[in-house]
Amino acid sequence: MKNRAAYMTGLNKMEIREIEVPVAKEKQVIVKLEYVGICGSDVHYFENGRIGDFIVNGDFILGHECAGTVVEIGPGVENLKVGDKVALEPGITCGHCEYCKSGRYNLCPDVEFLATPPYHGCLMNYIAFPENMAFKLPDTITTKEGALIEPLAVGMHAANQGNVKLGDSVAILGSGTIGLVTLLACKAFGATDITVVDVIPKRLEYAKKLGAAAVINAAETDALAEIHRLTDKKGVDIVIETAGSAKTVAQTPYAVKNGGRIVLVGMAPQDIIEYNFAKIMAKEAEIKSVFRYRNIYPQAIKAVSKGIIDISGIVTHEFAFDDVAKAFDFVIHNKQDVVKAVIKMD
Ligand SMILES: NC(=O)c1ccc[n+]([C@@H]2O[C@H](COP(=O)([O-])OP(=O)(O)OC[C@H]3O[C@@H](n4cnc5c(N)ncnc54)[C@H](O)[C@@H]3O)[C@@H](O)[C@H]2O)c1
Ligand SMILES: [Zn+2]
Ligand SMILES: [Zn+2]
């Protein structure tokens, strides 16, 4: 058995190196990874070396969207066996703090999240991982789809936070990976009128293909005026911001209807944003936010394996592990074309 990992060795520099094959400790499994998705955050670390207070220090392994096959089980493992296909939920939490104990483990201050410094990611052949964060995939779901459970979980958490339900109207601002998985989640939750806004026509085409009832190109049309037109001036039940821009965050109070809900998912580059709270008050609108996800993997895996959510539709590019450096370069230079690129591990 040989293990190799892709190290980011500096800004826009990556090389594959041989590393030790991990040993399964108590309640851990060794997973041979088969697919790893490239996330916007991986690209951001690769280009900038940091996201907010998380700073890459030294050689660093990216990647946190992954799935593969169990090849070894450690002592005390009860629910997985060699040969099981699994998707890994990348945040390992303490299990003891008030957030973990109340089920909101995504808020655990001691979380060790793959590819969030100082914790390495999973762009490697073999990884040791806690059994309780490795979710078994049924036969009806591939490990490629398994790797996409991670971004899908963000979209499902957004739909949960917005309490999206049957018959709701939803406006999703931004049609990148997160906007699209949010669209898939809202559709699965029963929203009937989903409008997706972006400034890149190609991305809006994907939104249309994945089930948006309407799309708005904000580079050509006044998005708010169009949302008002589509909703008889009322606004939508739920607005979900996934573009991560100050402009779209500031649009949310105008797009939501009286008593509606706003869900903030995108991370704008600036911390402080001018925002119309008077509108929020007058509409008695609710503002919710999203930090990753919690308790969603089992539900997401079921939805994909039963064909309720077709997640494979978001993959636009696939690269071999040996070409991982090329893959990052390609993603960086073709941002308009790439929605989700995945690395096929070998
Ligand atoms: N809260 C969380 O836990 C969480 C998790 C994952 C990602 N994120 C954040 O979600 C955001 C989206 O991630 P992504 O991977 O989809 O990024 P992305 O860059 O692929 O998508 C953003 C989209 O917004 C569009 N956009 C830009 N300006 C716009 C405007 N004025 N109106 C409409 N659309 C506009 C872009 O064209 C792009 O398609 C990022 O900010 C990311 O950091 C948050
Ligand atoms: Zn991600
Ligand atoms: Zn905790």
Side-chain angles (χ1 to χ4, degrees), residues 169 228 231 233-239 252-262 278-286:
S169 59
H228 289 152
T231 56
K233 300 204 176 81
K234 282 195 192 135
V236 289
D237 293 308
I238 300 121
V239 187
T252 56
Y254 299 92
V256 76
K257 75 154 66 147
N258 289 356
R261 292 176 294 283
I262 291 165
K279 273 235 174 302
I280 297 287
M281 305 287 295
K283 291 184 171 183
E284 203 179 61
E286 241 179 276

Side-chain angles (χ1 to χ4, degrees), residues 27 73-81 131:
K27 294 195 190 324
I73 59 170
V77 167
E78 286 172 358
N79 299 311
L80 290 173
K81 57 181 191 310
E131 172 192 29

Side-chain angles (χ1 to χ4, degrees), residues 330-344:
F330 186 89
V331 170
I332 286 166
H333 291 105
N334 296 275
K335 278 187 180 153
Q336 300 225 345
D337 293 334
V338 180
V339 176
K340 173 60 69 187
V342 293
I343 307 290
K344 185 176 194 311

Side-chain angles (χ1 to χ4, degrees), residues 187-235:
K187 228 178 60 170
F189 283 30
T192 42
D193 304 275
I194 307 176
T195 303
V196 177
V197 186
D198 206 285
V199 291
I200 304 174
K202 219 175 206 160
R203 301 220 156 169
L204 292 170
E205 274 171 39
Y206 285 116
K208 221 55 253 191
K209 228 192 293 174
L210 296 180
V215 297
I216 302 171
N217 183 345
E220 288 172 354
T221 314
D222 178 339
L224 289 174
E226 188 60 12
I227 288 171
H228 289 152
R229 192 185 69 75
L230 290 167
T231 56
D232 293 330
K233 300 204 176 81
K234 282 195 192 135

Side-chain angles (χ1 to χ4, degrees), residues 24-315:
K25 295 194 200 116
E26 180 82 17
K27 294 195 190 324
Q28 281 189 339
V29 291
I30 304 297
V31 177
K32 182 177 195 299
L33 295 168
E34 286 163 19
Y35 278 95
V36 177
I38 299 182
C39 176
S41 65
D42 295 318
V43 174
H44 202 89
Y45 282 124
F46 190 60
E47 283 190 285
N48 304 293
R50 66 184 298 162
I51 295 180
D53 293 339
F54 294 100
I55 300 166
V56 175
N57 197 350
D59 296 350
F60 188 59
I61 305 172
L62 296 166
H64 61 266
E65 305 173 354
C66 62
T69 301
V70 174
V71 292
E72 197 185 311
I73 59 170
V77 167
E78 286 172 358
N79 299 311
L80 290 173
K81 57 181 191 310
V82 170
D84 282 346
K85 288 188 295 176
V86 288
L88 305 185
E89 180 171 338
I92 301 169
T93 53
C94 83
H96 307 295
C97 70
E98 72 173 283
Y99 306 103
C100 285
K101 283 173 119 177
S102 62
R104 295 171 299 159
Y105 62 81
N106 57 322
L107 307 178
C108 175
D110 295 322
V111 62
E112 299 176 9
F113 201 90
L114 292 179
T116 301
Y119 306 103
H120 284 300
C122 60
L123 268 169
M124 56 179 67
N125 297 117
Y126 296 96
I127 194 168
F129 217 70
E131 172 192 29
N132 68 358
M133 289 307 232
F135 292 85
K136 190 173 158 149
L137 300 172
D139 289 337
T140 46
I141 167 170
T142 63
T143 47
K144 183 153 130 185
E145 291 169 315
L148 301 169
I149 294 296
E150 202 280 336
L152 175 59
V154 177
M156 288 179 64
H157 188 43
N160 275 335
Q161 290 291 76
N163 191 20
V164 173
K165 54 188 187 320
L166 187 61
D168 279 344
S169 59
V170 181
I172 299 170
L173 309 181
S175 188
T177 297
I178 297 301
L180 293 175
V181 291
T182 301
L183 162 66
L184 292 173
C186 289
K187 228 178 60 170
F189 283 30
T192 42
D193 304 275
I194 307 176
T195 303
V196 177
V197 186
D198 206 285
V199 291
I200 304 174
K202 219 175 206 160
R203 301 220 156 169
L204 292 170
E205 274 171 39
Y206 285 116
K208 221 55 253 191
K209 228 192 293 174
L210 296 180
V215 297
I216 302 171
N217 183 345
E220 288 172 354
T221 314
D222 178 339
L224 289 174
E226 188 60 12
I227 288 171
H228 289 152
R229 192 185 69 75
L230 290 167
T231 56
D232 293 330
K233 300 204 176 81
K234 282 195 192 135
V236 289
D237 293 308
I238 300 121
V239 187
I240 308 183
E241 200 293 318
T242 74
S245 82
K247 184 173 174 188
T248 43
V249 170
Q251 284 174 334
T252 56
Y254 299 92
V256 76
K257 75 154 66 147
N258 289 356
R261 292 176 294 283
I262 291 165
V263 184
L264 302 176
V265 188
M267 309 208 182
Q270 52 280 75
D271 290 341
I272 311 246
I273 292 170
E274 199 168 317
Y275 197 73
N276 189 337
F277 281 99
K279 273 235 174 302
I280 297 287
M281 305 287 295
K283 291 184 171 183
E284 203 179 61
E286 241 179 276
I287 304 175
K288 290 273 204 160
S289 63
V290 160
F291 185 67
R292 297 173 179 155
Y293 39 77
R294 54 176 172 253
N295 306 310
I296 289 188
Y297 264 57
Q299 197 186 23
I301 289 169
K302 261 194 205 168
V304 174
S305 72
K306 304 271 184 203
I308 293 165
I309 292 179
D310 179 7
I311 190 67
S312 56
I314 67 165
V315 176

